[in-house]
Amino acid sequence: MPKKARDGDDTAGLLRYLYGPGKRDEHVDPRMVAAWDVFVDDPARSPSTTISDLALLLDAPVHALKGKKPPKHVYHVAVRNAPEDPVLTDEQWAEVAREMMHAAGIAEHDDDEGCRWVAIRHADDHIHIVATRGRQDGRQPNLRQDIVKMHAAARAFEQRFGLRRLTHGDRTARKWPKTGETEKAQRRGLAETSRDMLQRTVREVAALATGEADFFARLSAAGLRVQQRIAPDGNVTGYSVAATGDRDQRQAPVWFSGSKLAWDLSLPRVRERWSASVRVPRVAPEELWRIAEGKVRAAADHLGAQGLQQGAGDVAALGDLIVVAAIVSPRMVRGQIRDAAREFERAARAPGDRALEGQARRLYRESSQLLSHSAATVGRSSTTAALGFLLALVQAVEASRRWHDAQEHRAQAQASGRAGRLLREAVEVTAGASAARDYRPRSRRPAARPAAGQRRAAVAEERPMSGVVQEALAEHALAVLADPAWPALRTRLMAVERSGDDPVDVLATVAQRREMSSAESIAEVLVWRLDGWAKQRSATAGAAGTSASSSAGGGAGTSAAPGRKAAAPAPQRRPPGDEQRKGPRRAR
């Protein structure tokens, strides 16, 4: 992925940074992997060449330019691979650098008079290309559409080297924080940049709001600075937001317009959510999840059925629904659903125009408003009540993935797949928690006596968990034990045994909660269910402990209820001289 940095005017300063240790010693073995000429010496390898010498060579054509010289003559591009990609060799990175300079128009392959450039590598996953914007024939280069052409070249290398496949830019990608914003967040000790926080907050507010006035009121209530752009006729044409405490060098607030946060957060795009009125029925709290589930399942059957523009509007409304679900979902699975909403964000933005009417979009909007209007009630709902709704969300996200695949929206289809996986994890965690809530432990079976000459296991952890799987899941035992997720499942089973429950009984209980035959990894599904089991048991134990402490020791001087037996306290040594505080001795 090539990323173009801002042009500069200090070639030597940039080279010193790239060859140096970095700001946090993150630069390892800085070296030159390619240059405009094969005979250029590397300052990191040649004792007779310094960084200043290399900078003078790069700048020489700029000083010889005919006519006006560019004020920012340093051209800087970073080319980075995904973390999961294989590590490329220096020779492969050199080939990438030459192709990028050819595509950008800096130095084409057969052009001996092109600009001068060098490619520096100081990490496994990326290189930096530094060029100067002055051709060696005294002219300036034509850099029109340079980044677009470099992206096209990157797609060919992804296929050739077996790297993560990205897509051609369709202007639907999110706006990522700049380097300065990331460094500012780190200096302030913040977990995310102001841009990320504003983007997340504005998206949540837009999904929850019922109109323009409600939208701006919710932004202010969320603690953001809000600035409306008003036309001479009095109409609001846009808005900007700023995070409290985020200021620039002049101590002025750092403002971000909606379109700078994300493509679909501009005011016209936000207004699309209220283009059609939505009726929200009054329902009993216990019926809330069931009604929302029915609407989502019905919408999934109609998603994209009326064409490209209709489907684009459908997936946009589905993205808002997942955002609302992340806000009001049970706390136990809120993290997974919030991550799913973040992953689905790209899938909710289909390229091109989108229709604002249609049955699927209307049903998704009704479900969003139904959940947001009943947020207080939903927050107290159990995970069992939300299980059916989460299953419906999985079905809807899978329908969106199929639709994006049919339209050849590869980035959006991949985002739908990642969101669907996180939602399936939330479903299985919910299923495990439901099983723990209904669980009634059976009496523990006595352990078998070891045969003569056999040594008894010293600790509970040495119990073979493979035998637990074979006893509890005879039908799936072979597949589970051969699964890459088996070590994680074994760790969960050992934790169950340490907690005092029978792992055979627990594993059989969570396995029976929902079918597993359709799962790609049965062991992974069981890991998720046992995570939900552990969370529910921990929550139950915590609630029981709080209740017991409040009733038994609710305050100073509180005594146990009459007639209730209390556990005998452990014998304590009285301090010297405490005998006089003893009560009268009881007659035998």
Side-chain angles (χ1 to χ4, degrees), residues 11-76:
T11 307
L14 177 58
L15 290 175
R16 289 191 185 96
Y17 169 73
L18 297 178
Y19 273 107
K23 295 183 177 180
R24 291 171 297 276
D25 298 328
E26 70 274 19
H27 295 176
V28 179
D29 189 20
R31 60 197 181 277
M32 183 190 301
V33 296
W36 79 94
D37 192 300
V38 296
F39 297 107
V40 176
D41 289 330
D42 182 3
R45 300 289 187 266
S46 173
S48 60
T49 302
T50 66
I51 293 178
S52 298
D53 295 335
L54 180 59
L56 288 173
L57 288 174
L58 287 168
D59 285 340
V62 178
H63 297 306
L65 283 175
K66 301 172 183 177
K68 187 177 180 180
K69 298 175 176 58
K72 302 287 186 180
H73 68 277
V74 181
Y75 186 90
H76 179 199

Side-chain angles (χ1 to χ4, degrees), residues 405-574:
D405 272 336
Q407 308 302 325
E408 298 184 354
H409 300 157
R410 190 167 63 193
Q412 286 82 355
Q414 292 172 351
S416 295
R418 294 192 297 270
R421 173 181 169 81
L422 288 163
L423 286 173
R424 285 192 294 272
E425 178 181 351
V427 165
E428 301 303 344
V429 169
T430 303
S434 176
R437 183 178 291 107
D438 301 334
Y439 178 66
R440 297 295 179 268
R442 294 181 294 187
S443 58
R444 294 289 298 269
R445 291 166 293 186
R449 296 177 63 85
Q454 233 180 4
R455 188 175 59 175
R456 184 184 296 273
V459 291
E461 285 82 354
E462 295 180 8
R463 178 180 178 179
M465 292 298 143
S466 57
V468 170
V469 174
Q470 292 169 348
E471 186 174 350
L473 305 173
E475 181 181 356
H476 303 290
L478 291 178
V480 168
L481 295 177
D483 197 295
W486 160 239
L489 177 59
R490 180 178 180 273
T491 301
R492 268 51 169 204
L493 291 173
M494 291 165 59
V496 168
E497 186 168 55
R498 284 195 299 269
S499 69
D501 289 323
D502 184 354
V504 174
D505 196 13
V506 170
L507 187 60
T509 300
V510 299
Q512 293 169 2
R513 182 56 52 163
R514 291 187 63 246
E515 63 86 20
M516 299 185 300
S517 301
S518 60
E520 296 180 1
S521 170
I522 295 178
E524 190 172 44
V525 167
L526 292 171
V527 167
W528 291 337
R529 292 187 189 179
L530 288 177
D531 285 343
W533 171 283
K535 289 180 180 180
Q536 179 60 41
R537 301 283 280 182
S538 177
T540 303
T546 302
S547 176
S549 62
S550 61
S551 60
T558 304
S559 59
R564 180 177 298 175
K565 293 183 178 180
Q572 297 180 350
R573 184 185 300 275
R574 290 182 179 273

Side-chain angles (χ1 to χ4, degrees), residues 75-412:
Y75 186 90
H76 179 199
V77 175
V79 188
R80 186 179 301 272
N81 282 347
E84 66 271 17
D85 283 341
V87 177
L88 302 184
T89 65
D90 284 357
E91 290 73 19
Q92 289 173 315
W93 276 120
E95 185 178 357
V96 170
R98 285 190 288 268
E99 191 62 36
M100 291 297 169
M101 293 295 92
H102 168 78
I106 292 289
E108 298 182 356
H109 292 320
D110 298 329
D111 186 3
D112 295 332
E113 301 296 329
C115 300
R116 294 182 175 181
W117 60 272
V118 293
I120 300 168
R121 183 181 188 183
H122 52 216
D124 286 340
D125 62 348
H126 69 278
I127 59 171
H128 292 266
I129 307 176
V130 180
T132 49
R133 299 177 62 174
R135 291 174 51 84
Q136 297 178 78
D137 56 6
R139 296 183 293 120
Q140 294 190 24
N142 179 12
L143 303 179
R144 188 172 181 272
Q145 295 291 308
D146 54 345
I147 191 65
V148 175
K149 295 174 183 177
M150 283 191 284
H151 275 271
R155 304 294 82 79
F157 281 113
E158 289 165 0
Q159 185 173 7
R160 178 178 169 187
F161 293 152
L163 309 175
R164 176 179 173 183
R165 302 288 298 279
L166 302 178
T167 58
H168 293 286
D170 58 10
R171 300 185 183 276
T172 63
R174 67 179 301 180
K175 304 290 185 180
W176 293 99
K178 297 179 180 178
T179 303
E181 297 171 12
T182 303
E183 293 175 349
K184 181 194 285 188
Q186 292 173 348
R187 289 195 305 269
R188 298 176 64 191
L190 301 177
E192 58 183 348
T193 65
S194 294
R195 182 190 295 267
D196 285 336
M197 185 277 290
L198 292 171
Q199 186 183 86
R200 172 177 53 80
T201 305
V202 173
R203 187 171 302 283
E204 291 176 356
V205 168
L208 290 168
T210 57
E212 188 166 323
D214 186 34
F215 173 68
F216 286 117
R218 286 177 181 266
L219 286 178
S220 298
L224 306 184
R225 295 174 178 265
V226 184
Q227 197 175 62
Q228 297 183 12
R229 187 168 62 251
I230 302 177
D233 59 0
N235 292 323
V236 180
T237 59
Y239 72 98
S240 298
V241 290
T244 303
D246 186 22
R247 297 182 177 274
D248 59 16
Q249 294 178 346
R250 298 171 298 175
Q251 295 302 306
V254 180
W255 294 98
F256 293 87
S257 64
S259 59
K260 292 296 184 182
L261 294 176
W263 173 76
D264 58 340
L265 292 182
S266 64
L267 187 58
R269 290 293 188 180
V270 171
R271 282 171 172 163
E272 290 179 355
R273 295 165 169 85
W274 318 307
S275 59
S277 59
V278 175
R279 296 181 58 188
V280 180
R282 292 182 175 272
V283 298
E286 59 272 12
E287 295 293 315
L288 183 67
W289 290 112
R290 186 184 60 80
I291 294 176
E293 174 189 350
K295 290 180 179 294
V296 173
R297 290 190 186 278
D301 294 336
H302 293 88
L303 192 148
Q306 301 300 320
L308 177 60
Q309 293 185 2
Q310 189 72 61
D314 295 344
V315 295
L318 176 57
D320 281 345
L321 175 59
I322 301 176
V323 169
V324 174
I327 298 172
V328 303
S329 59
R331 191 176 303 276
M332 186 173 296
V333 292
R334 196 168 294 172
Q336 287 93 339
I337 303 177
R338 187 180 294 116
D339 291 342
R342 184 165 53 247
E343 289 291 352
F344 194 79
E345 179 188 319
R346 180 71 183 275
R349 293 192 293 265
D353 296 331
R354 54 189 180 186
L356 305 181
E357 65 278 350
Q359 189 172 4
R361 180 179 173 86
R362 177 179 58 80
L363 289 170
Y364 287 141
R365 291 292 299 157
E366 289 178 359
S367 300
S368 297
Q369 292 300 314
L370 182 65
L371 294 180
S372 63
H373 285 182
S374 307
T377 302
V378 173
R380 294 193 297 267
S381 297
S382 66
T383 52
T384 304
L387 180 57
F389 173 78
L390 294 179
L391 285 168
L393 268 189
V394 171
Q395 178 184 345
V397 170
E398 178 61 23
S400 75
R401 186 193 62 78
R402 291 195 299 268
W403 181 79
H404 280 304
D405 272 336
Q407 308 302 325
E408 298 184 354
H409 300 157
R410 190 167 63 193
Q412 286 82 355

